[in-house]
Amino acid sequence: MAQVEHLAERTPRVSTDELLKGFYPSPRFGSVSFDSYRPDPSQPSQAHAVSSMENFAAAVDVPEPTGLRKLFGARKPDSKAGFYLDGGFGVGKTHLLASLWHAVEGPKAFGTFVEYTNLVGALSFRKTVDALSTYKLVCIDEFELDDPGDTVLMSRLMRELADAGVKLAATSNTLPGSLGEGRFAAVDFQREIQVLADQFDVVRIDGEDYRHRGLPQSPDPVAEDELADRVAAEFSGKVVADDDFSTLINHLSTVHPSRYRQLIEGVDAVAWHNVGTITEQSVALRFVVLADRLYDKDVPILASGVPFDQLFTEEMMNGGYMKKYFRAVSRLTALAREGQTGEAA
């Protein structure tokens, strides 16, 4: 029998220290390495990306010369402040970024773009710079442009960290010089975006979304009158977060996205009743964060209602935030497939 809880009844509280301690790869990527990445033989850029990131990791780990080595001119190899891995959905960018984090010794941070902007909101900009300036490496996964303010904020943060000698690594779905396209009027912020682009060596990684490579399509939603029985059968002995979909998305507006990791803490599986298409942009963007956190922890999903490829409106799927929505649909589909068929996401 499953232990049933409700996310809509949880209101987590997270301290500043807990936020700082949480900047490491999620359990899904807790033990990955460059060796465990499997490049697609038909996509040579994938093997090239692995080799390039291994070289970057080695450069980060070369210590600054001291003593006689410094006196006689020994110095670290010249390199740019950061490494930028560009590519589509499901080609293994996060796997490689986490592999970089694992490969580098010493103090380091790993988080999503949103988690870093949330950290600034919690600590203040200056305290965030002071805290992260003590690290050798800062990894930023899924660099996004939610609004112009965040673009300027992250550009300034990364410039100051680079000036402090911190190495930076980031992933995104768009080349740095084109980050503003399709999101907002990039002209006003082109200077900030270009400065950011100049700090990175850019490596492109091509390929098909591995979650769709040779895998079946997303299963049909579970019938509502069968959902309870499926939960009992599939998730026996596990902690299941069982929520009405509309109640859950309303509750998400009361919980800061920086706390979504804690919101699902201890949850082994999720059951959603009567999933419907989300029509409000702000609600959809919050739900994307929840989808990312569920995917991080590999939480299987059983759901009734509309299939996940209808979770967002057609306008959203073709608008400025389309990359976020496509990523969320891809990840939720994988979790639904795991929940219904037991197939690893």
Side-chain angles (χ1 to χ4, degrees), residues 93-141:
K93 300 187 305 298
T94 300
H95 182 133
L96 289 177
L97 189 67
S99 298
L100 171 67
W101 187 91
H102 287 299
V104 170
E105 299 292 335
K108 51 197 174 181
F110 182 103
T112 64
F113 177 89
V114 172
E115 287 175 316
Y116 284 105
T117 57
N118 288 338
L119 182 65
V120 172
L123 296 184
S124 80
F125 181 84
R126 182 46 48 195
K127 289 183 178 179
T128 300
V129 171
D130 291 343
L132 296 181
S133 290
T134 64
Y135 292 13
K136 289 175 61 177
L137 174 69
V138 169
C139 297
I140 304 168
D141 196 25

mmCIF file of all heavy atoms in Angstrom, residues 93-141:
data_model
loop_
_atom_site.group_PDB
_atom_site.id
_atom_site.type_symbol
_atom_site.label_atom_id
_atom_site.label_comp_id
_atom_site.label_asym_id
_atom_site.label_seq_id
_atom_site.Cartn_x
_atom_site.Cartn_y
_atom_site.Cartn_z
ATOM 1 N N LYS A 93 23.700 17.479 -22.277
ATOM 2 C CA LYS A 93 24.444 18.644 -21.808
ATOM 3 C C LYS A 93 24.598 18.630 -20.281
ATOM 4 O O LYS A 93 25.678 18.897 -19.756
ATOM 5 C CB LYS A 93 23.748 19.939 -22.249
ATOM 6 C CG LYS A 93 23.615 20.109 -23.744
ATOM 7 C CD LYS A 93 23.083 21.474 -24.118
ATOM 8 C CE LYS A 93 21.772 21.827 -23.454
ATOM 9 N NZ LYS A 93 20.681 20.889 -23.842
ATOM 10 N N THR A 94 23.505 18.346 -19.568
ATOM 11 C CA THR A 94 23.568 18.337 -18.113
ATOM 12 C C THR A 94 24.480 17.213 -17.626
ATOM 13 O O THR A 94 25.230 17.388 -16.658
ATOM 14 C CB THR A 94 22.163 18.191 -17.511
ATOM 15 O OG1 THR A 94 21.349 19.285 -17.930
ATOM 16 C CG2 THR A 94 22.221 18.184 -15.992
ATOM 17 N N HIS A 95 24.431 16.073 -18.289
ATOM 18 C CA HIS A 95 25.328 14.957 -17.949
ATOM 19 C C HIS A 95 26.780 15.419 -18.022
ATOM 20 O O HIS A 95 27.581 15.163 -17.109
ATOM 21 C CB HIS A 95 25.070 13.807 -18.924
ATOM 22 C CG HIS A 95 25.887 12.576 -18.655
ATOM 23 N ND1 HIS A 95 25.345 11.314 -18.638
ATOM 24 C CD2 HIS A 95 27.216 12.397 -18.412
ATOM 25 C CE1 HIS A 95 26.292 10.426 -18.380
ATOM 26 N NE2 HIS A 95 27.444 11.066 -18.255
ATOM 27 N N LEU A 96 27.134 16.108 -19.102
ATOM 28 C CA LEU A 96 28.514 16.544 -19.277
ATOM 29 C C LEU A 96 28.881 17.654 -18.293
ATOM 30 O O LEU A 96 30.005 17.679 -17.774
ATOM 31 C CB LEU A 96 28.734 17.018 -20.717
ATOM 32 C CG LEU A 96 28.727 15.905 -21.778
ATOM 33 C CD1 LEU A 96 28.871 16.496 -23.175
ATOM 34 C CD2 LEU A 96 29.834 14.893 -21.507
ATOM 35 N N LEU A 97 27.954 18.570 -18.022
ATOM 36 C CA LEU A 97 28.243 19.637 -17.071
ATOM 37 C C LEU A 97 28.456 19.056 -15.675
ATOM 38 O O LEU A 97 29.370 19.474 -14.948
ATOM 39 C CB LEU A 97 27.098 20.653 -17.061
ATOM 40 C CG LEU A 97 27.364 21.937 -16.263
ATOM 41 C CD1 LEU A 97 28.456 22.761 -16.938
ATOM 42 C CD2 LEU A 97 26.090 22.770 -16.134
ATOM 43 N N ALA A 98 27.617 18.092 -15.287
ATOM 44 C CA ALA A 98 27.790 17.438 -13.996
ATOM 45 C C ALA A 98 29.090 16.637 -13.961
ATOM 46 O O ALA A 98 29.770 16.575 -12.924
ATOM 47 C CB ALA A 98 26.602 16.532 -13.697
ATOM 48 N N SER A 99 29.458 16.041 -15.078
ATOM 49 C CA SER A 99 30.730 15.312 -15.151
ATOM 50 C C SER A 99 31.903 16.256 -14.921
ATOM 51 O O SER A 99 32.887 15.894 -14.254
ATOM 52 C CB SER A 99 30.869 14.631 -16.516
ATOM 53 O OG SER A 99 29.846 13.674 -16.718
ATOM 54 N N LEU A 100 31.815 17.455 -15.473
ATOM 55 C CA LEU A 100 32.838 18.472 -15.238
ATOM 56 C C LEU A 100 32.924 18.798 -13.758
ATOM 57 O O LEU A 100 34.013 18.855 -13.175
ATOM 58 C CB LEU A 100 32.515 19.726 -16.050
ATOM 59 C CG LEU A 100 33.369 20.962 -15.754
ATOM 60 C CD1 LEU A 100 34.811 20.737 -16.178
ATOM 61 C CD2 LEU A 100 32.790 22.196 -16.465
ATOM 62 N N TRP A 101 31.777 19.005 -13.133
ATOM 63 C CA TRP A 101 31.739 19.328 -11.696
ATOM 64 C C TRP A 101 32.405 18.210 -10.893
ATOM 65 O O TRP A 101 33.212 18.475 -9.995
ATOM 66 C CB TRP A 101 30.294 19.520 -11.260
ATOM 67 C CG TRP A 101 30.125 20.011 -9.853
ATOM 68 C CD1 TRP A 101 30.046 21.312 -9.430
ATOM 69 C CD2 TRP A 101 29.992 19.203 -8.665
ATOM 70 N NE1 TRP A 101 29.879 21.369 -8.064
ATOM 71 C CE2 TRP A 101 29.846 20.090 -7.572
ATOM 72 C CE3 TRP A 101 29.994 17.833 -8.436
ATOM 73 C CZ2 TRP A 101 29.699 19.641 -6.256
ATOM 74 C CZ3 TRP A 101 29.850 17.374 -7.132
ATOM 75 C CH2 TRP A 101 29.700 18.271 -6.054
ATOM 76 N N HIS A 102 32.097 16.971 -11.210
ATOM 77 C CA HIS A 102 32.682 15.845 -10.479
ATOM 78 C C HIS A 102 34.186 15.736 -10.722
ATOM 79 O O HIS A 102 34.931 15.279 -9.846
ATOM 80 C CB HIS A 102 32.009 14.534 -10.901
ATOM 81 C CG HIS A 102 30.618 14.369 -10.386
ATOM 82 N ND1 HIS A 102 30.305 14.327 -9.039
ATOM 83 C CD2 HIS A 102 29.429 14.235 -11.042
ATOM 84 C CE1 HIS A 102 28.995 14.167 -8.887
ATOM 85 N NE2 HIS A 102 28.446 14.114 -10.087
ATOM 86 N N ALA A 103 34.642 16.138 -11.907
ATOM 87 C CA ALA A 103 36.048 15.965 -12.268
ATOM 88 C C ALA A 103 36.962 16.996 -11.623
ATOM 89 O O ALA A 103 38.171 16.767 -11.510
ATOM 90 C CB ALA A 103 36.205 16.027 -13.790
ATOM 91 N N VAL A 104 36.419 18.124 -11.214
ATOM 92 C CA VAL A 104 37.231 19.221 -10.673
ATOM 93 C C VAL A 104 37.308 19.114 -9.153
ATOM 94 O O VAL A 104 36.295 18.920 -8.478
ATOM 95 C CB VAL A 104 36.647 20.579 -11.100
ATOM 96 C CG1 VAL A 104 37.331 21.722 -10.351
ATOM 97 C CG2 VAL A 104 36.772 20.769 -12.598
ATOM 98 N N GLU A 105 38.500 19.248 -8.627
ATOM 99 C CA GLU A 105 38.696 19.224 -7.177
ATOM 100 C C GLU A 105 38.442 20.607 -6.578
ATOM 101 O O GLU A 105 38.520 21.615 -7.262
ATOM 102 C CB GLU A 105 40.125 18.785 -6.863
ATOM 103 C CG GLU A 105 40.486 17.397 -7.368
ATOM 104 C CD GLU A 105 39.734 16.308 -6.638
ATOM 105 O OE1 GLU A 105 39.320 16.539 -5.484
ATOM 106 O OE2 GLU A 105 39.554 15.223 -7.236
ATOM 107 N N GLY A 106 38.183 20.627 -5.275
ATOM 108 C CA GLY A 106 38.083 21.895 -4.570
ATOM 109 C C GLY A 106 36.685 22.457 -4.501
ATOM 110 O O GLY A 106 35.734 21.853 -5.003
ATOM 111 N N PRO A 107 36.523 23.627 -3.899
ATOM 112 C CA PRO A 107 35.191 24.224 -3.763
ATOM 113 C C PRO A 107 34.587 24.554 -5.123
ATOM 114 O O PRO A 107 35.262 25.096 -5.999
ATOM 115 C CB PRO A 107 35.447 25.488 -2.937
ATOM 116 C CG PRO A 107 36.885 25.807 -3.157
ATOM 117 C CD PRO A 107 37.576 24.491 -3.331
ATOM 118 N N LYS A 108 33.309 24.209 -5.297
ATOM 119 C CA LYS A 108 32.666 24.369 -6.599
ATOM 120 C C LYS A 108 31.167 24.403 -6.389
ATOM 121 O O LYS A 108 30.653 23.961 -5.355
ATOM 122 C CB LYS A 108 33.047 23.204 -7.518
ATOM 123 C CG LYS A 108 32.812 21.844 -6.863
ATOM 124 C CD LYS A 108 33.540 20.723 -7.564
ATOM 125 C CE LYS A 108 33.383 19.408 -6.790
ATOM 126 N NZ LYS A 108 34.094 18.289 -7.429
ATOM 127 N N ALA A 109 30.449 24.926 -7.370
ATOM 128 C CA ALA A 109 28.990 25.039 -7.278
ATOM 129 C C ALA A 109 28.372 24.562 -8.577
ATOM 130 O O ALA A 109 28.927 24.768 -9.658
ATOM 131 C CB ALA A 109 28.569 26.480 -6.994
ATOM 132 N N PHE A 110 27.204 23.933 -8.458
ATOM 133 C CA PHE A 110 26.447 23.468 -9.620
ATOM 134 C C PHE A 110 24.979 23.786 -9.379
ATOM 135 O O PHE A 110 24.406 23.392 -8.365
ATOM 136 C CB PHE A 110 26.620 21.946 -9.796
ATOM 137 C CG PHE A 110 25.914 21.369 -10.999
ATOM 138 C CD1 PHE A 110 26.634 21.034 -12.131
ATOM 139 C CD2 PHE A 110 24.542 21.162 -11.002
ATOM 140 C CE1 PHE A 110 25.996 20.493 -13.255
ATOM 141 C CE2 PHE A 110 23.894 20.633 -12.102
ATOM 142 C CZ PHE A 110 24.625 20.296 -13.236
ATOM 143 N N GLY A 111 24.371 24.518 -10.303
ATOM 144 C CA GLY A 111 22.954 24.838 -10.165
ATOM 145 C C GLY A 111 22.384 25.319 -11.480
ATOM 146 O O GLY A 111 23.110 25.542 -12.457
ATOM 147 N N THR A 112 21.085 25.472 -11.512
ATOM 148 C CA THR A 112 20.438 26.001 -12.697
ATOM 149 C C THR A 112 20.492 27.524 -12.678
ATOM 150 O O THR A 112 20.726 28.148 -11.636
ATOM 151 C CB THR A 112 18.968 25.558 -12.777
ATOM 152 O OG1 THR A 112 18.252 26.125 -11.664
ATOM 153 C CG2 THR A 112 18.857 24.043 -12.730
ATOM 154 N N PHE A 113 20.248 28.110 -13.828
ATOM 155 C CA PHE A 113 20.195 29.568 -13.947
ATOM 156 C C PHE A 113 19.231 30.151 -12.918
ATOM 157 O O PHE A 113 19.550 31.106 -12.204
ATOM 158 C CB PHE A 113 19.752 29.931 -15.361
ATOM 159 C CG PHE A 113 19.588 31.399 -15.622
ATOM 160 C CD1 PHE A 113 20.643 32.155 -16.065
ATOM 161 C CD2 PHE A 113 18.355 32.017 -15.441
ATOM 162 C CE1 PHE A 113 20.492 33.518 -16.323
ATOM 163 C CE2 PHE A 113 18.195 33.367 -15.694
ATOM 164 C CZ PHE A 113 19.265 34.118 -16.134
ATOM 165 N N VAL A 114 18.048 29.545 -12.812
ATOM 166 C CA VAL A 114 17.033 30.050 -11.884
ATOM 167 C C VAL A 114 17.506 29.940 -10.444
ATOM 168 O O VAL A 114 17.265 30.835 -9.615
ATOM 169 C CB VAL A 114 15.701 29.298 -12.075
ATOM 170 C CG1 VAL A 114 14.698 29.669 -10.985
ATOM 171 C CG2 VAL A 114 15.118 29.596 -13.452
ATOM 172 N N GLU A 115 18.213 28.868 -10.123
ATOM 173 C CA GLU A 115 18.697 28.710 -8.749
ATOM 174 C C GLU A 115 19.710 29.791 -8.388
ATOM 175 O O GLU A 115 19.742 30.266 -7.246
ATOM 176 C CB GLU A 115 19.296 27.317 -8.573
ATOM 177 C CG GLU A 115 18.237 26.223 -8.521
ATOM 178 C CD GLU A 115 18.828 24.825 -8.477
ATOM 179 O OE1 GLU A 115 19.776 24.549 -9.242
ATOM 180 O OE2 GLU A 115 18.331 24.010 -7.677
ATOM 181 N N TYR A 116 20.530 30.214 -9.339
ATOM 182 C CA TYR A 116 21.482 31.291 -9.055
ATOM 183 C C TYR A 116 20.772 32.637 -8.887
ATOM 184 O O TYR A 116 21.137 33.424 -8.003
ATOM 185 C CB TYR A 116 22.543 31.378 -10.149
ATOM 186 C CG TYR A 116 23.579 30.291 -10.067
ATOM 187 C CD1 TYR A 116 23.558 29.224 -10.961
ATOM 188 C CD2 TYR A 116 24.567 30.300 -9.092
ATOM 189 C CE1 TYR A 116 24.501 28.207 -10.887
ATOM 190 C CE2 TYR A 116 25.520 29.295 -9.004
ATOM 191 C CZ TYR A 116 25.475 28.243 -9.904
ATOM 192 O OH TYR A 116 26.402 27.237 -9.810
ATOM 193 N N THR A 117 19.773 32.916 -9.724
ATOM 194 C CA THR A 117 19.055 34.176 -9.541
ATOM 195 C C THR A 117 18.288 34.164 -8.221
ATOM 196 O O THR A 117 18.193 35.198 -7.546
ATOM 197 C CB THR A 117 18.087 34.437 -10.713
ATOM 198 O OG1 THR A 117 17.163 33.358 -10.850
ATOM 199 C CG2 THR A 117 18.846 34.615 -12.014
ATOM 200 N N ASN A 118 17.773 33.006 -7.827
ATOM 201 C CA ASN A 118 17.119 32.905 -6.525
ATOM 202 C C ASN A 118 18.112 33.117 -5.382
ATOM 203 O O ASN A 118 17.784 33.704 -4.348
ATOM 204 C CB ASN A 118 16.455 31.535 -6.367
ATOM 205 C CG ASN A 118 15.213 31.391 -7.226
ATOM 206 O OD1 ASN A 118 14.600 32.379 -7.627
ATOM 207 N ND2 ASN A 118 14.844 30.159 -7.530
ATOM 208 N N LEU A 119 19.336 32.619 -5.563
ATOM 209 C CA LEU A 119 20.363 32.806 -4.540
ATOM 210 C C LEU A 119 20.666 34.288 -4.350
ATOM 211 O O LEU A 119 20.800 34.763 -3.216
ATOM 212 C CB LEU A 119 21.634 32.061 -4.944
ATOM 213 C CG LEU A 119 22.793 32.112 -3.949
ATOM 214 C CD1 LEU A 119 22.428 31.393 -2.656
ATOM 215 C CD2 LEU A 119 24.055 31.503 -4.566
ATOM 216 N N VAL A 120 20.768 35.017 -5.461
ATOM 217 C CA VAL A 120 20.995 36.467 -5.365
ATOM 218 C C VAL A 120 19.837 37.131 -4.618
ATOM 219 O O VAL A 120 20.044 38.011 -3.773
ATOM 220 C CB VAL A 120 21.154 37.086 -6.763
ATOM 221 C CG1 VAL A 120 21.194 38.609 -6.677
ATOM 222 C CG2 VAL A 120 22.427 36.563 -7.429
ATOM 223 N N GLY A 121 18.619 36.688 -4.915
ATOM 224 C CA GLY A 121 17.469 37.263 -4.226
ATOM 225 C C GLY A 121 17.482 36.988 -2.733
ATOM 226 O O GLY A 121 17.028 37.807 -1.932
ATOM 227 N N ALA A 122 18.016 35.835 -2.351
ATOM 228 C CA ALA A 122 18.045 35.467 -0.934
ATOM 229 C C ALA A 122 19.205 36.122 -0.184
ATOM 230 O O ALA A 122 19.058 36.537 0.976
ATOM 231 C CB ALA A 122 18.145 33.948 -0.794
ATOM 232 N N LEU A 123 20.367 36.234 -0.832
ATOM 233 C CA LEU A 123 21.563 36.704 -0.125
ATOM 234 C C LEU A 123 21.889 38.169 -0.376
ATOM 235 O O LEU A 123 22.569 38.780 0.453
ATOM 236 C CB LEU A 123 22.776 35.874 -0.563
ATOM 237 C CG LEU A 123 22.793 34.390 -0.255
ATOM 238 C CD1 LEU A 123 24.124 33.788 -0.681
ATOM 239 C CD2 LEU A 123 22.567 34.148 1.218
ATOM 240 N N SER A 124 21.493 38.711 -1.502
ATOM 241 C CA SER A 124 21.899 39.986 -2.078
ATOM 242 C C SER A 124 23.014 39.714 -3.083
ATOM 243 O O SER A 124 23.727 38.698 -2.998
ATOM 244 C CB SER A 124 22.386 41.005 -1.042
ATOM 245 O OG SER A 124 23.728 40.752 -0.644
ATOM 246 N N PHE A 125 23.176 40.612 -4.017
ATOM 247 C CA PHE A 125 24.162 40.418 -5.071
ATOM 248 C C PHE A 125 25.573 40.346 -4.503
ATOM 249 O O PHE A 125 26.350 39.439 -4.830
ATOM 250 C CB PHE A 125 24.072 41.547 -6.099
ATOM 251 C CG PHE A 125 25.045 41.408 -7.232
ATOM 252 C CD1 PHE A 125 24.741 40.618 -8.327
ATOM 253 C CD2 PHE A 125 26.271 42.055 -7.199
ATOM 254 C CE1 PHE A 125 25.650 40.462 -9.375
ATOM 255 C CE2 PHE A 125 27.184 41.915 -8.238
ATOM 256 C CZ PHE A 125 26.866 41.114 -9.335
ATOM 257 N N ARG A 126 25.925 41.281 -3.633
ATOM 258 C CA ARG A 126 27.291 41.340 -3.132
ATOM 259 C C ARG A 126 27.654 40.110 -2.315
ATOM 260 O O ARG A 126 28.745 39.546 -2.446
ATOM 261 C CB ARG A 126 27.466 42.614 -2.279
ATOM 262 C CG ARG A 126 28.874 42.838 -1.734
ATOM 263 C CD ARG A 126 29.974 42.625 -2.755
ATOM 264 N NE ARG A 126 29.717 43.319 -4.020
ATOM 265 C CZ ARG A 126 30.357 43.066 -5.144
ATOM 266 N NH1 ARG A 126 31.260 42.110 -5.191
ATOM 267 N NH2 ARG A 126 30.067 43.736 -6.235
ATOM 268 N N LYS A 127 26.747 39.633 -1.483
ATOM 269 C CA LYS A 127 27.036 38.445 -0.681
ATOM 270 C C LYS A 127 27.151 37.204 -1.558
ATOM 271 O O LYS A 127 27.938 36.297 -1.255
ATOM 272 C CB LYS A 127 25.968 38.252 0.390
ATOM 273 C CG LYS A 127 26.035 39.282 1.514
ATOM 274 C CD LYS A 127 25.005 38.995 2.593
ATOM 275 C CE LYS A 127 25.108 40.009 3.730
ATOM 276 N NZ LYS A 127 24.095 39.748 4.784
ATOM 277 N N THR A 128 26.383 37.171 -2.643
ATOM 278 C CA THR A 128 26.488 36.047 -3.560
ATOM 279 C C THR A 128 27.848 36.040 -4.237
ATOM 280 O O THR A 128 28.503 34.998 -4.343
ATOM 281 C CB THR A 128 25.371 36.101 -4.621
ATOM 282 O OG1 THR A 128 24.097 36.043 -3.964
ATOM 283 C CG2 THR A 128 25.483 34.949 -5.598
ATOM 284 N N VAL A 129 28.295 37.207 -4.692
ATOM 285 C CA VAL A 129 29.622 37.308 -5.304
ATOM 286 C C VAL A 129 30.696 36.902 -4.304
ATOM 287 O O VAL A 129 31.608 36.127 -4.626
ATOM 288 C CB VAL A 129 29.878 38.738 -5.815
ATOM 289 C CG1 VAL A 129 31.336 38.903 -6.250
ATOM 290 C CG2 VAL A 129 28.950 39.070 -6.972
ATOM 291 N N ASP A 130 30.596 37.394 -3.086
ATOM 292 C CA ASP A 130 31.598 37.071 -2.067
ATOM 293 C C ASP A 130 31.639 35.571 -1.789
ATOM 294 O O ASP A 130 32.724 34.981 -1.636
ATOM 295 C CB ASP A 130 31.301 37.826 -0.765
ATOM 296 C CG ASP A 130 31.525 39.326 -0.891
ATOM 297 O OD1 ASP A 130 32.203 39.742 -1.857
ATOM 298 O OD2 ASP A 130 31.017 40.076 -0.036
ATOM 299 N N ALA A 131 30.468 34.944 -1.735
ATOM 300 C CA ALA A 131 30.411 33.508 -1.442
ATOM 301 C C ALA A 131 30.977 32.691 -2.600
ATOM 302 O O ALA A 131 31.802 31.792 -2.408
ATOM 303 C CB ALA A 131 28.981 33.087 -1.142
ATOM 304 N N LEU A 132 30.557 32.994 -3.828
ATOM 305 C CA LEU A 132 30.969 32.199 -4.982
ATOM 306 C C LEU A 132 32.390 32.512 -5.429
ATOM 307 O O LEU A 132 33.016 31.692 -6.121
ATOM 308 C CB LEU A 132 29.999 32.414 -6.142
ATOM 309 C CG LEU A 132 28.562 31.947 -5.903
ATOM 310 C CD1 LEU A 132 27.709 32.210 -7.142
ATOM 311 C CD2 LEU A 132 28.511 30.465 -5.533
ATOM 312 N N SER A 133 32.936 33.658 -5.041
ATOM 313 C CA SER A 133 34.296 34.019 -5.432
ATOM 314 C C SER A 133 35.335 33.126 -4.765
ATOM 315 O O SER A 133 36.504 33.098 -5.195
ATOM 316 C CB SER A 133 34.586 35.485 -5.086
ATOM 317 O OG SER A 133 33.850 36.358 -5.913
ATOM 318 N N THR A 134 34.946 32.397 -3.734
ATOM 319 C CA THR A 134 35.870 31.481 -3.061
ATOM 320 C C THR A 134 35.927 30.127 -3.772
ATOM 321 O O THR A 134 36.712 29.266 -3.381
ATOM 322 C CB THR A 134 35.450 31.263 -1.599
ATOM 323 O OG1 THR A 134 34.170 30.613 -1.555
ATOM 324 C CG2 THR A 134 35.350 32.591 -0.860
ATOM 325 N N TYR A 135 35.098 29.926 -4.813
ATOM 326 C CA TYR A 135 35.024 28.649 -5.512
ATOM 327 C C TYR A 135 35.983 28.635 -6.700
ATOM 328 O O TYR A 135 36.327 29.672 -7.263
ATOM 329 C CB TYR A 135 33.601 28.393 -6.023
ATOM 330 C CG TYR A 135 32.574 28.143 -4.944
ATOM 331 C CD1 TYR A 135 32.833 28.408 -3.601
ATOM 332 C CD2 TYR A 135 31.323 27.638 -5.278
ATOM 333 C CE1 TYR A 135 31.881 28.168 -2.626
ATOM 334 C CE2 TYR A 135 30.358 27.389 -4.309
ATOM 335 C CZ TYR A 135 30.649 27.665 -2.978
ATOM 336 O OH TYR A 135 29.710 27.432 -2.009
ATOM 337 N N LYS A 136 36.427 27.434 -7.084
ATOM 338 C CA LYS A 136 37.241 27.282 -8.288
ATOM 339 C C LYS A 136 36.381 27.244 -9.538
ATOM 340 O O LYS A 136 36.811 27.676 -10.611
ATOM 341 C CB LYS A 136 38.059 25.987 -8.204
ATOM 342 C CG LYS A 136 39.181 26.009 -7.196
ATOM 343 C CD LYS A 136 39.848 24.648 -7.088
ATOM 344 C CE LYS A 136 40.471 24.192 -8.396
ATOM 345 N NZ LYS A 136 41.186 22.896 -8.237
ATOM 346 N N LEU A 137 35.178 26.683 -9.402
ATOM 347 C CA LEU A 137 34.327 26.444 -10.569
ATOM 348 C C LEU A 137 32.870 26.691 -10.210
ATOM 349 O O LEU A 137 32.401 26.253 -9.161
ATOM 350 C CB LEU A 137 34.493 24.994 -11.045
ATOM 351 C CG LEU A 137 33.573 24.504 -12.162
ATOM 352 C CD1 LEU A 137 33.921 25.187 -13.487
ATOM 353 C CD2 LEU A 137 33.649 22.984 -12.304
ATOM 354 N N VAL A 138 32.164 27.393 -11.093
ATOM 355 C CA VAL A 138 30.722 27.592 -10.966
ATOM 356 C C VAL A 138 30.068 27.104 -12.247
ATOM 357 O O VAL A 138 30.377 27.593 -13.334
ATOM 358 C CB VAL A 138 30.375 29.076 -10.710
ATOM 359 C CG1 VAL A 138 28.879 29.307 -10.860
ATOM 360 C CG2 VAL A 138 30.848 29.500 -9.321
ATOM 361 N N CYS A 139 29.192 26.113 -12.108
ATOM 362 C CA CYS A 139 28.483 25.525 -13.253
ATOM 363 C C CYS A 139 27.038 26.025 -13.274
ATOM 364 O O CYS A 139 26.348 25.950 -12.248
ATOM 365 C CB CYS A 139 28.493 24.005 -13.160
ATOM 366 S SG CYS A 139 30.135 23.261 -13.237
ATOM 367 N N ILE A 140 26.589 26.482 -14.426
ATOM 368 C CA ILE A 140 25.241 27.025 -14.576
ATOM 369 C C ILE A 140 24.522 26.221 -15.655
ATOM 370 O O ILE A 140 24.866 26.307 -16.837
ATOM 371 C CB ILE A 140 25.275 28.513 -14.958
ATOM 372 C CG1 ILE A 140 26.090 29.309 -13.936
ATOM 373 C CG2 ILE A 140 23.852 29.077 -15.053
ATOM 374 C CD1 ILE A 140 26.418 30.709 -14.377
ATOM 375 N N ASP A 141 23.538 25.445 -15.248
ATOM 376 C CA ASP A 141 22.826 24.578 -16.180
ATOM 377 C C ASP A 141 21.597 25.282 -16.748
ATOM 378 O O ASP A 141 20.890 25.989 -16.021
ATOM 379 C CB ASP A 141 22.405 23.296 -15.462
ATOM 380 C CG ASP A 141 22.015 22.189 -16.427
ATOM 381 O OD1 ASP A 141 22.492 22.210 -17.578
ATOM 382 O OD2 ASP A 141 21.248 21.290 -16.022
#
